[in-house]
Short mmCIF file of all heavy atoms in Angstrom, two decimals:
data_model
loop_
_atom_site.label_atom_id
_atom_site.label_comp_id
_atom_site.label_asym_id
_atom_site.label_seq_id
_atom_site.Cartn_x
_atom_site.Cartn_y
_atom_site.Cartn_z
N ALA A 62 -5.75 -6.86 -5.53
CA ALA A 62 -4.89 -6.66 -6.73
C ALA A 62 -3.58 -7.44 -6.49
O ALA A 62 -3.39 -8.07 -5.45
CB ALA A 62 -4.52 -5.13 -6.87
N LEU A 63 -2.69 -7.35 -7.52
CA LEU A 63 -1.36 -7.93 -7.30
C LEU A 63 -0.53 -6.85 -6.67
O LEU A 63 -0.25 -5.82 -7.38
CB LEU A 63 -0.77 -8.35 -8.71
CG LEU A 63 0.71 -8.74 -8.68
CD1 LEU A 63 0.93 -10.00 -7.77
CD2 LEU A 63 1.23 -9.03 -10.03
N VAL A 64 -0.06 -7.03 -5.40
CA VAL A 64 0.79 -6.05 -4.75
C VAL A 64 2.21 -6.33 -5.20
O VAL A 64 2.66 -7.49 -4.98
CB VAL A 64 0.59 -6.08 -3.25
CG1 VAL A 64 1.58 -5.24 -2.54
CG2 VAL A 64 -0.86 -5.65 -2.91
N ILE A 65 2.81 -5.24 -5.66
CA ILE A 65 4.20 -5.47 -6.19
C ILE A 65 5.18 -4.78 -5.16
O ILE A 65 5.14 -3.54 -4.92
CB ILE A 65 4.39 -4.78 -7.51
CG1 ILE A 65 3.43 -5.51 -8.53
CG2 ILE A 65 5.88 -4.87 -8.05
CD1 ILE A 65 3.33 -4.85 -9.88
N HIS A 66 5.96 -5.63 -4.50
CA HIS A 66 6.92 -5.15 -3.52
C HIS A 66 8.24 -4.84 -4.25
O HIS A 66 8.90 -5.77 -4.72
CB HIS A 66 7.07 -6.13 -2.36
CG HIS A 66 8.12 -5.75 -1.36
ND1 HIS A 66 9.08 -6.58 -0.93
CD2 HIS A 66 8.28 -4.56 -0.71
CE1 HIS A 66 9.85 -5.97 -0.08
NE2 HIS A 66 9.33 -4.76 0.13
N LEU A 67 8.61 -3.60 -4.36
CA LEU A 67 9.76 -3.29 -5.14
C LEU A 67 11.03 -3.43 -4.36
O LEU A 67 11.30 -2.66 -3.48
CB LEU A 67 9.63 -1.80 -5.62
CG LEU A 67 10.30 -1.43 -6.89
CD1 LEU A 67 9.82 -2.25 -8.06
CD2 LEU A 67 10.01 0.07 -7.17
N ASP A 68 11.78 -4.49 -4.64
CA ASP A 68 12.94 -4.87 -3.81
C ASP A 68 14.25 -4.75 -4.59
O ASP A 68 15.15 -5.63 -4.48
CB ASP A 68 12.68 -6.26 -3.27
CG ASP A 68 13.40 -6.49 -1.96
OD1 ASP A 68 13.73 -5.44 -1.32
OD2 ASP A 68 13.59 -7.68 -1.55
N LEU A 69 14.34 -3.73 -5.45
CA LEU A 69 15.58 -3.54 -6.26
C LEU A 69 16.68 -2.99 -5.36
O LEU A 69 16.49 -2.03 -4.74
CB LEU A 69 15.28 -2.50 -7.41
CG LEU A 69 14.06 -2.77 -8.27
CD1 LEU A 69 13.83 -1.56 -9.21
CD2 LEU A 69 14.15 -4.03 -9.02
N LYS A 70 17.85 -3.71 -5.39
CA LYS A 70 18.91 -3.33 -4.47
C LYS A 70 20.18 -2.96 -5.27
O LYS A 70 20.38 -3.49 -6.37
CB LYS A 70 19.27 -4.52 -3.52
CG LYS A 70 18.07 -4.90 -2.63
CD LYS A 70 17.96 -4.00 -1.45
CE LYS A 70 17.03 -4.66 -0.46
NZ LYS A 70 16.29 -3.69 0.31
N GLY A 71 21.10 -2.13 -4.66
CA GLY A 71 22.40 -1.86 -5.23
C GLY A 71 22.71 -0.41 -5.27
O GLY A 71 21.80 0.38 -5.35
N LYS A 72 23.96 -0.10 -5.15
CA LYS A 72 24.50 1.23 -5.22
C LYS A 72 25.65 1.34 -6.11
O LYS A 72 26.53 0.43 -6.08
CB LYS A 72 24.87 1.80 -3.80
CG LYS A 72 23.86 1.70 -2.71
CD LYS A 72 24.33 2.12 -1.38
CE LYS A 72 25.06 1.04 -0.67
NZ LYS A 72 24.27 0.03 0.01
N THR A 73 25.78 2.32 -7.04
CA THR A 73 26.84 2.40 -7.92
C THR A 73 27.40 3.79 -7.95
O THR A 73 26.58 4.83 -8.01
CB THR A 73 26.35 2.16 -9.38
OG1 THR A 73 25.32 1.18 -9.34
CG2 THR A 73 27.50 1.66 -10.30
N ILE A 74 28.70 3.96 -7.92
CA ILE A 74 29.29 5.26 -8.17
C ILE A 74 29.43 5.52 -9.63
O ILE A 74 30.04 4.80 -10.36
CB ILE A 74 30.78 5.31 -7.43
CG1 ILE A 74 30.46 5.21 -5.96
CG2 ILE A 74 31.41 6.64 -7.79
CD1 ILE A 74 31.67 5.23 -5.10
N VAL A 75 28.66 6.55 -10.09
CA VAL A 75 28.60 6.85 -11.51
C VAL A 75 29.76 7.62 -11.94
O VAL A 75 30.42 7.32 -12.98
CB VAL A 75 27.27 7.59 -11.86
CG1 VAL A 75 27.15 7.91 -13.26
CG2 VAL A 75 26.09 6.85 -11.30
N SER A 76 30.22 8.64 -11.15
CA SER A 76 31.42 9.38 -11.51
C SER A 76 31.85 10.15 -10.21
O SER A 76 31.07 10.28 -9.26
CB SER A 76 31.13 10.36 -12.64
OG SER A 76 30.21 11.34 -12.20
N LYS A 77 33.10 10.54 -10.28
CA LYS A 77 33.63 11.16 -9.09
C LYS A 77 34.68 12.23 -9.49
O LYS A 77 35.50 11.98 -10.38
CB LYS A 77 34.35 10.16 -8.19
CG LYS A 77 34.51 10.48 -6.81
CD LYS A 77 34.99 9.30 -5.92
CE LYS A 77 35.35 9.70 -4.57
NZ LYS A 77 35.87 8.70 -3.79
#
Side-chain angles (χ1 to χ4, degrees):
L63 172 64
V64 171
I65 299 172
H66 177 230
L67 208 57
D68 208 18
L69 309 173
K70 299 279 195 212
K72 305 177 274 280
T73 325
I74 295 181
V75 180
S76 65
K77 200 170 172 183

